[in-house]
Amino acid sequence: MKIAVCVKQVPDSETRINLAAPTAELDSSGFTRILNPYDAYAVEEAVKIKEAGSDVEITAITIGPDTVKETLKKDCLAVGCDKALVITDPALDHADAAAIATVLSAALKKEPYDLVLCGFKAIDDDNGQVPILIAEKLGMAHVSTITSLELGEGTLTAHREIEGGKEIVQASMPAVLTCQKGLNEPRLPSLPNIMKAGMKPMETVTCADLGVEVPANLVQIKQYSPPPARGECKLIDAEDPAAAARELARLLNEEAKVI
Amino acid sequence: MTYSGVDFYRLDETLSDEERGVVQTVRRFVEDRFAPDIREHFRQGTFPMELSPEMGGLGLLGAAVHGPGCPGMSQTIYGLICRELERGDSGLRSFVSVQGSLVMWPIATFGTVEQQQKWLPELAAGKRVGCFGLTEPDHGSDPGAMKTRAVRDGNEWILTGNKMWITNADVADVAVVWARTEEGVAGFLVEAGTPGFTAHPIGGKFSLRASDTGELAFDEVRLPASALLPGARGLKAPLSCLNEARYGIAWGAIGAASDCYHVALEYARQREQFGKPIAGFQLVQQKLVTMLTEITKAQALALQLGRLKDSGTHETPLTSLAKRNNVAMALDCARQAREILGAAGITDEFSPGRHMANLESVYTYEGTHDIHTLIIGAEITGLPAYR
């Protein structure tokens, strides 16, 4: 069985974004970069499938510059993926979800994958579109935001959390699944495996190597702007809670005009 | 704000991808698995033993030890591990130092193939725990005067004596015990439960509270010939173990100091007095700058020492210098951080007070600060002051 895990390197959620004025491009020079946390669920699930069965090969696939290799080694290969494919191409620098999905689909066609696992969204752009587009382009079944997975003969059963309950979905394989928190607990790589990860195969290709042309963006980011500054905070100084409540109600009614 | 390490001189850039991966992984382990509970463990005087197999699984135990089931990584990696662990607590790093440098290392270095196969895989996995008995109630800095004796009786040995200030004494499955014999100092592997061998915890500690510290007593303990570590001959053998552990301490102290600096800096930025953050006052900046400067110098010492050890070209006094400097530096940082924190610094809501208390032990164990002064003094003058 062949599993592909599509991953993305994203800025650490604690990274301070320097955004003093509106801009079309963020200054990413000081970013600490990590594996997208939802992709870690995808990696872990693939490794669990490999540990439970025999003859499973996991390929981690990503798009990005040379700096993604550190994340691929530590968070994919050291955790249990067998090999990695890095698609590095300046043409992809500002690619939108459709373009990314086109290129990833071209890479996924190179081998007959039974499962494609992805995080359900990346925490940087919060788009959540790429896996769905891949499923469409490859003609595979797609189940989103899964919280449990069981594999059968050519089929799979997945649980999805829905509003107020749980949905149990059966799908045929090959399939594209997106992983949600709750699916598993991603492990830390053992240190000896981090040291050995560099010995696992990692191939770097361009879009031309994959025989795919990057389509023009359908969507373009026009501007990032900082959130509006928070207004002044007014502290109600009252003798007792009842007086404070009366004053709060008066302010909400007369000044804020919300009640 | 999250901790992303103290690295003013960008020394991390000289690390390999793998070494940086190790740092990030151990840091996450400490933050996720250890840090949430350390306050309570320190209050209760307990160590989270359940983390032992987790640390084994990650390859944190005996990281630089080569032998069956051992991680067998570099000395630099071992140092980086100690640094990140001691940022959590000196007790956590002590557990790993003892298991790796003082138990697994002597078994790998002085033990028979049978001893290595019996103990190393399970010690590396954290399924079994070891302790190291050299210091005695009356013999600390002068271990050569130890009273513990092992006498041959046919094919067996009879071991009698007491060991004190032993990390992991009460939880250990095996003790590496050093004793006088007719042929000089020798090392023995004594299994817990051997008749005549008992361990007792030492209470009333204000330092290393999240660490098991105890006493070992040997009352005519009968040991088989196979308990002897055949490669260990003379006092040099236990001292060489200590030298391994001291190296990890030189790195570990940087972790404790970095945590103190990080906490103090964050606090100083937020705490306002006289209408502005106290970080804006000259005297507070002086403390912060002194801490950062000393941490940076300590980092350079430790990293170069690690690289020298990895190339096999280091001498013992180099480790003494790094241990002596870095632990004293960390203790100073903890005190300065406590000052910046003001009254808040005396509670366990902030870590510097805990680090300060811990570092009083670290200053004294594995060769006191003063003994390391004399080791370096002997090296540069050729005149040992302790003989």
Side-chain angles (χ1 to χ4, degrees), chain B residues 366-379:
Chain B
E366 311 287 336
T368 67
H369 184 83
D370 290 347
I371 286 292
H372 286 298
T373 308
L374 301 184
I375 292 173
I376 306 162
E379 171 73 9

Side-chain angles (χ1 to χ4, degrees), chain B residues 4 14 20 28-30 37 45 86 104 142 207 231 262 269 280 295 311 320 370 380:
Chain B
S4 56
T14 71
R20 275 194 295 274
R28 237 184 87 190
F29 167 77
V30 169
D37 302 324
E86 194 149 357
M104 293 170 65
D142 183 16
S207 174
H262 175 75
R269 277 181 177 149
I295 289 169
S311 67
S320 286
D370 290 347
I380 59 176

Side-chain angles (χ1 to χ4, degrees), chain A residues 110-158:
Chain A
K110 297 283 172 195
E111 290 193 51
Y113 292 109
D114 302 283
L115 270 183
V116 178
L117 295 170
C118 313
F120 90 95
K121 65 174 184 180
I123 62 163
D124 52 356
D125 57 24
D126 262 355
N127 261 335
Q129 297 179 17
V130 169
I132 304 166
L133 290 165
I134 289 174
E136 175 64 22
K137 284 176 190 296
L138 297 179
M140 290 187 186
H142 168 254
V143 187
S144 65
T145 57
I146 66 167
T147 53
S148 102
L149 176 64
E150 235 174 85
L151 298 183
E153 281 298 320
T155 61
L156 61 90
T157 307

Side-chain angles (χ1 to χ4, degrees), chain B residues 71-222:
Chain B
M73 296 182 288
S74 72
Q75 292 288 342
T76 303
I77 296 273
Y78 174 47
L80 292 166
I81 291 170
C82 288
R83 185 185 77 184
E84 294 306 318
L85 293 177
E86 194 149 357
R87 186 192 143 223
D89 193 81
S90 300
L92 180 62
R93 200 268 308 132
S94 295
F95 180 90
V96 169
S97 287
V98 169
Q99 183 88 342
S101 292
L102 299 183
V103 179
M104 293 170 65
W105 189 82
I107 294 174
T109 308
F110 306 123
T112 61
V113 172
E114 291 73 29
Q115 288 168 335
Q116 291 170 3
Q117 280 168 345
K118 176 175 179 185
W119 291 105
L120 290 179
E122 295 213 312
L123 289 167
K127 290 177 186 159
R128 303 250 229 157
V129 173
C131 68
F132 177 88
L134 176 65
T135 298
E136 299 187 351
D138 297 327
H139 304 281
S141 292
D142 183 16
M146 70 174 72
K147 282 187 190 146
T148 301
R149 293 264 186 292
V151 182
R152 277 187 197 275
D153 183 35
N155 252 346
E156 297 180 327
W157 292 89
I158 297 170
L159 180 70
T160 305
N162 292 286
K163 298 290 178 181
M164 202 167 177
W165 308 116
I166 308 304
T167 299
N168 295 347
D170 218 29
V171 294
D173 300 292
V174 62
V176 176
V177 181
W178 301 92
R180 234 172 225 299
T181 70
E182 281 185 359
E183 299 109 86
V185 171
F188 297 89
L189 298 179
V190 186
E191 288 191 47
T194 307
F197 170 32
T198 49
H200 316 276
I202 295 171
K205 290 185 297 172
F206 63 76
S207 174
L208 287 182
R209 288 189 53 75
S211 175
D212 176 65
T213 311
E215 214 172 330
L216 308 177
F218 306 95
D219 182 12
E220 300 198 352
V221 176
R222 198 165 270 280

Side-chain angles (χ1 to χ4, degrees), chain B residues 6-16 19-20 83 251 295-304 307:
Chain B
V6 178
D7 189 23
F8 200 65
Y9 255 52
R10 303 209 300 269
L11 289 169
D12 278 1
E13 288 176 12
T14 71
L15 303 179
S16 66
E19 288 167 341
R20 275 194 295 274
R83 185 185 77 184
W251 276 94
I295 289 169
T296 303
K297 284 148 72 177
Q299 287 169 335
L301 279 184
L303 187 58
Q304 171 65 356
R307 298 299 188 209

